[in-house]
Amino acid sequence: MEIFLLYLGLGAIAGLISGLFGLGGGVVIVPILIFTFSAQGFSADVLTHMAIGTSLATIVITSISSVTAHHKRGAVLWPVAFWLTPGICVGAALGAIFAVSITGPVLQLGFGIFLCLVAFAMGLSLQPSGMSAMPGPVGKTFVGSVIGFVSSVFGIGGGSLSVPYFSWVQVSMKNAVATSAACGLPIAVSGAIAYALQGAGREGLPEGALGFVYVPAFVGIVIASTVFAKMGARFAHQLPSDLLKKGFAVLLLVIGLRFVWRNASLMFLG
């Protein structure tokens, strides 16, 4: 029971931060789960992959409510999302297979670098200006596969990749965010299924794990994050958002650098 309450608390933190800053939950959930699973004494051989798989599973649920809200406002560019989806599904599945093939420290090192890049983009408010036209069907499939692959490797919903891409191809920010949310659902579904299947029967999995998806964490985070994300969104309209974003960017940078230093030290210095 204590563990479940812990995951409710983690879900509340993740949801609040996600709502405040408009970030996909994976950027918050993955590092929190890595630290928590490590503190619980889970095997180092599986805890990183389990954090990523569990994160993607939670995004399946949270993205449904997000997509529904954006669809009601007519902001989702469904033809674009549909053309991206086949590539996204293939890329997400391949990303999970690739992630499972490498060790936890290497994966954490990559995630740390990714967090640092997100922190810089967020702290400096970097957004590409529209410089290109939307590609054709083949181009959309390729773009979707890249977004799906990277998102699945790091356990994110893809917003930190797809929103800048949509801005680059001259989609308005309102439509970019909404269509990115629609793309997050197939990323999460394909990735979570792939992680669950890849982890089935692995040694070192704790009780309650469905492959690389840890069910108690999934349930607790989904319940709490859904409620607190709405609260965070309300706070975002009342607090100094620019200052908050820069502060959170510093926090992401610190966490990212910790992952980089710790795992680079393990890999190169022993």
Side-chain angles (χ1 to χ4, degrees):
M1 184 61 183
E2 292 82 1
I3 295 298
F4 184 69
L5 291 176
L6 169 66
Y7 288 121
L8 283 174
L10 295 179
I13 294 170
L16 191 63
I17 292 175
S18 177
L20 269 173
F21 303 110
L23 284 173
V27 173
V28 179
I29 292 170
V30 171
I32 287 177
L33 286 180
I34 288 175
F35 296 143
T36 305
F37 290 163
S38 180
Q40 286 183 252
F42 289 174
S43 170
D45 294 332
V46 301
L47 71 85
T48 304
H49 300 93
M50 198 160 58
I52 293 172
T54 304
S55 171
L56 287 168
T58 65
I59 293 170
V60 172
I61 306 301
T62 56
S63 66
I64 291 174
S65 60
S66 176
V67 173
T68 301
H70 285 298
H71 174 69
K72 287 179 179 178
R73 292 174 172 81
V76 180
L77 301 178
W78 285 112
V80 175
F82 287 143
W83 274 112
L84 288 169
T85 294
I88 281 173
C89 291
V90 173
L94 292 176
I97 293 170
F98 171 75
V100 171
S101 73
I102 59 180
T103 64
V106 173
L107 201 52
Q108 287 190 32
L109 175 62
F111 186 74
I113 294 171
F114 176 77
L115 278 186
C116 291
L117 294 174
V118 172
F120 279 118
M122 188 175 185
L124 300 175
S125 299
L126 300 179
Q127 280 289 348
S129 57
M131 296 178 63
S132 180
M134 183 72 71
V138 175
K140 289 188 184 76
T141 301
F142 173 75
V143 169
S145 66
V146 173
I147 292 173
F149 182 88
V150 176
S151 300
S152 183
V153 169
F154 296 131
I156 61 174
S160 50
L161 300 173
S162 54
V163 171
Y165 170 73
F166 288 138
S167 297
W168 185 59
V169 295
Q170 305 180 59
V171 173
S172 71
M173 184 54 66
K174 180 183 75 172
N175 295 125
V177 171
T179 308
S180 173
C183 293
L185 184 56
I187 289 172
V189 171
S190 298
I193 290 173
Y195 275 98
L197 294 175
Q198 290 279 300
R202 295 283 178 128
E203 291 185 9
L205 290 175
E207 185 178 351
L210 183 63
F212 285 130
V213 175
Y214 188 51
V215 177
F218 163 77
V219 174
I221 289 172
V222 165
I223 291 173
S225 65
T226 302
V227 175
F228 279 84
K230 296 176 182 177
M231 188 181 299
R234 286 199 299 271
F235 287 156
H237 295 285
Q238 303 168 9
L239 300 173
S241 60
D242 189 57
L243 182 62
L244 283 171
K245 281 192 174 185
K246 284 181 169 52
F248 187 60
V250 171
L251 176 61
L252 285 182
L253 183 61
V254 170
I255 295 172
L257 289 174
R258 183 185 185 280
F259 277 126
V260 170
W261 172 253
R262 180 174 180 273
N263 292 284
S265 300
L266 286 173
M267 292 166 59
F268 302 116
L269 302 178

